Amino acid sequence: MEIDEGFDILRPSLKFVNGSCYRILNPCRKADVKVTHAPSDSYCSKKQSIYEDEPNSCTTENKDSNILEWRTQNIASPNCFHKHIVGRNAVVKKRLEKETGVSLHIPRPNENKDYVSVRYNREENLFSVEARIISIVENARKRESPTHFLSIPVSGTEIQTNLEKFRQLCIEKANISEKIIQSSAKLHMTIGALKLFSAAEISAAKVALDEFSRQIPHITMNRPLRGRVKGLEIMNDDPSSVRVLYAEMKLSDDSDRLQHLVDQCLEFFVSKNLMNYDYNRQDVKLHCTLINVKWGDLEAIDASQLLNKTWELQDFGGCVLEKLELNEMKTDRKTSKYKNVCDVSLIPDKLPLE
């Protein structure tokens, strides 16, 4: 089901039915509603699967003016969450149907359909089951890990060479596992993480990134973002028990353009309900992760030697930041980089890289 462009989730429309007030959480577009005839008694007696139940009530009488002809409405719901709407032994589905007076058709996992079909003959029943389905999906979504992330790749010959040198020093002199050291192909600055579970949600993120790209020239003052990766820092206060070690990224002109860019990008995606602050910082930290113990299923490492001022590699070099990317949290085997969904340029059209 599509959401009307003017819909405000904080100020939903209200509908009064028989003296009761209902909030319209996701107004239905008329084009999405299919009018059908009430099912016959013989049809209701057929044996049905938990995914294909028809309405429990098959009466065709319209004594109440609020009873409509039987209609079908699709409610957007990522396929991966359908199991939560069905429940063990279809308990959740049956309860929803019984308490709201509708019939639910829930596509099977192998159908890859991101919606649930509702057959109803009262609008208040549709509103009621829709609210419950949205609640179930949102609660399930909160328990899932992010699937995508926004980032700015950090690359360049000098940085790649020094990162490989850093890798060898960590392995040979600090006895650190190669598995937890970032590869030069994946070096990046993370802006924020997203939870996208359907083609429609991914498409919305792509559109949002394209819309935000129109603000980039203004934020960057139409000048290239030349930066330098330098200095080693940790996310906690104990060098002997470190989970994440990173290098800082600073622009060569010491301006705040990069910080403004990433902060406004995060804020823009939050405003589009594609990201939230539950699993993202409100102020983006400009950094490139070099070591993360979760990549090797470790608890922590002793990074005291790396943080000592005598550690021979502290400056990784400079580069021009060229793209802002939407990536999957998966590795592309062909490129050894994160899978790219889409990207926008950070390079001013009329200015050279150097």
Side-chain angles (χ1 to χ4, degrees), residues 145-149 192-194 327-331 338-339:
S145 299
T147 59
H148 296 72
F149 65 99
L194 303 88
N327 295 321
E328 290 186 42
M329 289 191 175
K330 297 178 181 179
T331 301
Y338 290 107
K339 287 187 176 181

Side-chain angles (χ1 to χ4, degrees), residues 312-338:
E312 57 188 282
L313 186 53
Q314 297 279 346
D315 190 338
F316 293 84
C319 68
V320 174
L321 303 176
E322 300 181 5
K323 296 188 296 183
L324 196 165
E325 295 185 342
L326 172 63
N327 295 321
E328 290 186 42
M329 289 191 175
K330 297 178 181 179
T331 301
D332 187 326
R333 294 182 179 180
K334 294 181 179 180
T335 64
S336 297
K337 298 180 179 180
Y338 290 107

Side-chain angles (χ1 to χ4, degrees), residues 101-164:
V102 304
S103 175
L104 300 176
H105 170 75
I106 304 174
R108 299 176 185 277
N110 60 359
E111 292 183 66
N112 293 322
K113 294 180 179 179
D114 297 312
Y115 61 81
V116 170
S117 293
V118 181
R119 285 175 62 81
Y120 67 100
N121 67 345
R122 290 176 182 264
E123 288 189 345
E124 61 265 34
N125 293 353
L126 173 64
F127 301 148
S128 177
V129 76
E130 180 182 21
R132 296 190 187 196
I133 288 174
I134 290 173
S135 178
I136 290 172
V137 170
E138 288 307 307
N139 286 333
R141 185 188 296 272
K142 290 177 182 178
R143 297 192 293 270
E144 296 292 332
S145 299
T147 59
H148 296 72
F149 65 99
L150 287 170
S151 71
I152 298 177
V154 177
S155 60
T157 303
E158 183 182 15
I159 291 178
Q160 291 178 341
T161 299
N162 284 324
L163 188 56
E164 289 305 317

Side-chain angles (χ1 to χ4, degrees), residues 177-219:
S177 171
E178 183 178 7
K179 292 181 180 180
I180 66 173
I181 305 173
Q182 183 66 285
S183 69
S184 58
K186 290 183 176 181
L187 192 64
H188 67 277
M189 288 187 299
T190 299
I191 297 174
L194 303 88
K195 295 182 178 182
L196 308 175
F197 298 102
S198 69
E201 292 177 354
I202 293 173
S203 178
K206 293 167 69 174
V207 170
L209 185 58
D210 181 65
E211 290 179 3
F212 177 74
S213 68
R214 300 165 196 169
Q215 302 179 26
I216 292 176
H218 173 71
I219 299 172

Side-chain angles (χ1 to χ4, degrees), residues 226-239:
R226 293 188 174 90
R228 196 164 193 86
V229 181
K230 186 178 181 180
L232 299 177
E233 300 289 343
I234 58 177
M235 293 291 187
N236 61 309
D237 298 325
D238 184 3

Side-chain angles (χ1 to χ4, degrees), residues 53-71:
D53 287 334
E54 290 296 326
N56 296 323
S57 174
C58 295
T59 179
T60 60
E61 296 183 4
N62 258 349
K63 295 181 179 180
D64 190 330
S65 61
N66 290 304
I67 297 180
L68 311 171
E69 293 183 345
W70 285 98
R71 301 183 176 188

Side-chain angles (χ1 to χ4, degrees), residues 199-292:
E201 292 177 354
I202 293 173
S203 178
K206 293 167 69 174
V207 170
L209 185 58
D210 181 65
E211 290 179 3
F212 177 74
S213 68
R214 300 165 196 169
Q215 302 179 26
I216 292 176
H218 173 71
I219 299 172
T220 62
M221 301 179 182
N222 212 36
R223 304 203 315 265
L225 297 170
R226 293 188 174 90
R228 196 164 193 86
V229 181
K230 186 178 181 180
L232 299 177
E233 300 289 343
I234 58 177
M235 293 291 187
N236 61 309
D237 298 325
D238 184 3
S240 65
S241 181
V242 173
R243 295 182 59 82
V244 176
L245 181 139
Y246 64 90
E248 295 183 311
M249 165 63 77
K250 293 183 179 180
L251 292 188
S252 302
D253 61 6
D254 292 326
S255 71
D256 294 328
R257 292 181 299 137
L258 180 57
Q259 187 68 60
H260 291 327
L261 175 68
V262 295
D263 286 344
Q264 290 185 42
C265 181
L266 176 60
E267 183 179 346
F268 184 82
F269 272 75
V270 169
S271 73
K272 295 291 185 180
N273 294 320
L274 291 166
M275 301 171 74
N276 62 53
Y277 294 124
D278 291 343
Y279 45 87
N280 288 300
R281 295 170 55 105
Q282 292 192 30
D283 54 327
V284 181
K285 189 175 184 65
L286 300 178
H287 73 287
C288 301
T289 299
L290 302 179
I291 292 177
N292 193 327

Side-chain angles (χ1 to χ4, degrees), residues 4-45:
D4 286 346
E5 295 178 356
F7 176 59
D8 185 348
I9 195 168
L10 297 179
R11 297 182 178 84
S13 301
L14 302 178
K15 185 175 182 63
F16 292 87
V17 179
N18 291 338
S20 298
C21 179
Y22 295 86
R23 290 178 296 173
I24 304 177
L25 299 180
N26 189 354
C28 308
R29 291 185 177 179
K30 294 181 179 180
D32 293 333
V33 180
K34 298 179 181 178
V35 179
T36 60
H37 294 291
S40 65
D41 291 337
S42 60
Y43 184 84
C44 292
S45 64

